[in-house]
Amino acid sequence: METYTALRQFADSWGLLAMTLFFAGVILFTLRPGSKSHADDAAQIPLKED
């Protein structure tokens, strides 16, 4: 029973930190300079006819 409590406390503290850092990383990756051209190219993929 103590193992469950320890794992839950670990997930509550470090898990939240990990998810927050991941979220911030995704936002920074998306808004980085020069990403607009890559995003525009990716947006046109379904519309391209080969």
Side-chain angles (χ1 to χ4, degrees), residues 1-46:
M1 196 63 135
E2 292 179 21
T3 304
Y4 172 78
T5 304
L7 288 174
R8 177 159 178 169
Q9 287 178 340
F10 179 79
D12 284 346
S13 58
W14 292 105
L16 179 62
L17 178 63
M19 287 187 286
T20 302
L21 290 175
F22 178 76
F23 179 77
V26 168
I27 296 298
L28 291 175
F29 180 77
T30 304
L31 299 177
R32 75 188 188 284
S35 65
K36 180 166 177 36
S37 64
H38 294 294
D40 289 340
D41 291 341
Q44 294 301 318
I45 289 173

